[in-house]
């Protein structure tokens, strides 16, 4: 089955630790995205990538980092510099230049 | 991407038709209008996309007037399972697309029995 997979579904970390969220897709999509969603809020764009080895900051990139070494993978690292990392993180992919995106099931990160 | 404006919330009853309107006054010539649905603790799901007039699929209809400055998502005979947040996005499908998919606050639809 083609799709986009995020892992893990739930993640707990201690304050001050970096943590990496996984996102893998087998849809052969060029574009991938990371969003953050806080309770009762919409999605905010963290980073996006249109092609391998290239990515751009979204609206709230501070405290996050990404890499795009493979077309299928777009991991997100939440660094200790992110002041309020507890949130629901969503990864998406689409064909380049197309606004129909496919989303993963999300990772709920809790930092204690 | 063109900025969009939607109502924050709407209430409806089972069996009714629900219409959610999105304003996008600055829509560009090459922009398409896309709607997504999100259930709690899940990623958004694509519902429908259109450029002008009317588009219909098995889930919804999308009405776009001639000036394209607004669009209306129509959900026929809603059920409790249609309770969700609905997002309207406007963007260019062509190669000039900057790649940013920007979601607004969305419209929270509450369907009551």
């Amino acid at each position: 089955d083609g799709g986009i997979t995020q892992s893990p579904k739930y993640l707990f970390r201690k304050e001050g630790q970096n943590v990496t969220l996984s996102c893998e897709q087998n849809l052969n999509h060029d574009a991938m995205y990371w969003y953050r969603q806080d309770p009762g809020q919409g999605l905010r764009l963290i980073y996006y990538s249109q092609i391998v080895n290239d990515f751009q900051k979204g609206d709230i990139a501070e405290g996050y980092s990404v890499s795009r070494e493979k077309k299928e993978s777009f991991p997100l690292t939440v660094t200790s510099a992110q002041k309020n990392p507890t949130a629901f993180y969503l990864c998406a992919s689409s064909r380049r230049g197309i606004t129909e995106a496919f989303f993963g099931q999300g990772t709920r990160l809790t930092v204690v | 991407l063109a900025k969009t404006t939607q109502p924050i919330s709407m209430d409806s009853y089972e069996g009714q038709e629900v219409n959610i309107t999105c304003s996008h006054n600055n829509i560009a010539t090459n922009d398409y209008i896309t709607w997504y649905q999100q259930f709690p603790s899940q990623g958004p799901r694509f519902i429908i996309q259109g450029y002008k007039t009317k588009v219909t699929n098995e889930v919804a209809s999308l009405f776009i007037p001639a000036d394209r400055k607004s669009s209306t998502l129509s959900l026929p005979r809603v059920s409790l399972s249609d309770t969700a947040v609905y997002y309207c996005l406007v963007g260019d499908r062509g190669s000039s697309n900057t790649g940013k998919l920007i979601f607004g606050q969305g419209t929270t639809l509450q369907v009551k029995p």
Side-chain angles (χ1 to χ4, degrees):
Chain A
D1 286 333
I4 181 164
T5 303
Q6 291 185 242
S7 61
K9 190 172 183 179
Y10 298 95
L11 191 55
F12 295 87
R13 279 295 182 270
K14 291 184 178 180
E15 191 173 343
Q17 290 181 336
N18 291 355
V19 59
T20 298
L21 281 58
S22 170
C23 179
E24 303 277 334
Q25 54 97 2
N26 60 6
L27 300 167
N28 200 33
H29 286 167
D30 287 307
M32 297 188 74
Y33 316 84
W34 273 106
Y35 294 89
R36 168 183 174 139
Q37 188 171 37
D38 293 290
Q41 302 297 311
L43 282 69
R44 291 188 289 168
L45 183 63
I46 304 173
Y47 269 98
Y48 62 103
S49 168
Q50 291 285 289
I51 198 168
V52 174
N53 292 323
D54 188 42
F55 48 83
Q56 285 77 42
K57 293 181 179 180
D59 298 326
I60 57 164
E62 185 175 351
Y64 300 97
S65 65
V66 293
S67 63
R68 188 83 188 278
E69 298 176 359
K70 298 187 299 182
K71 187 175 185 178
E72 305 77 23
S73 178
F74 192 40
L76 173 74
T77 296
V78 184
T79 75
S80 56
Q82 169 52 231
K83 300 301 181 188
N84 186 17
T86 295
F88 186 49
Y89 291 89
L90 286 159
C91 178
S93 71
S94 73
R95 290 185 298 162
R96 188 175 181 180
I98 297 297
T99 52
E100 179 181 350
F102 294 79
F103 281 80
Q105 288 299 299
T107 293
R108 191 168 298 281
L109 172 65
T110 302
V111 176
V112 296
Chain B
L1 299 179
K3 181 178 172 61
T4 60
T5 302
Q6 304 173 233
I8 295 295
S9 64
M10 294 182 68
D11 288 339
S12 183
Y13 291 92
E14 280 191 293
Q16 289 187 334
E17 178 184 74
V18 170
N19 296 309
I20 305 174
T21 297
C22 178
S23 296
H24 27 79
N25 291 320
N26 296 322
I27 190 168
T29 303
N30 294 331
D31 285 344
Y32 279 70
I33 301 153
T34 310
W35 285 81
Y36 286 82
Q37 175 192 54
Q38 185 184 24
F39 297 114
S41 297
Q42 294 187 24
R45 178 178 73 105
F46 171 89
I47 301 175
I48 197 166
Q49 183 177 76
Y51 183 81
K52 63 180 179 181
T53 62
K54 177 183 175 182
V55 179
T56 297
N57 61 23
E58 64 278 5
V59 176
S61 294
L62 178 59
F63 297 93
I64 306 167
D67 66 6
R68 304 200 327 120
K69 293 184 182 299
S70 67
S71 58
T72 299
L73 175 73
S74 181
L75 305 172
R77 297 180 298 282
V78 295
S79 64
L80 296 177
S81 62
D82 291 315
T83 294
V85 179
Y86 293 84
Y87 297 95
C88 164
L89 278 73
V90 174
D92 183 354
R93 284 178 62 182
S95 59
S96 62
N97 188 298
T98 63
K100 295 181 73 171
L101 292 183
I102 302 298
F103 286 75
Q105 288 290 98
T107 298
T108 299
L109 172 65
Q110 180 69 51
V111 179
K112 302 175 182 179

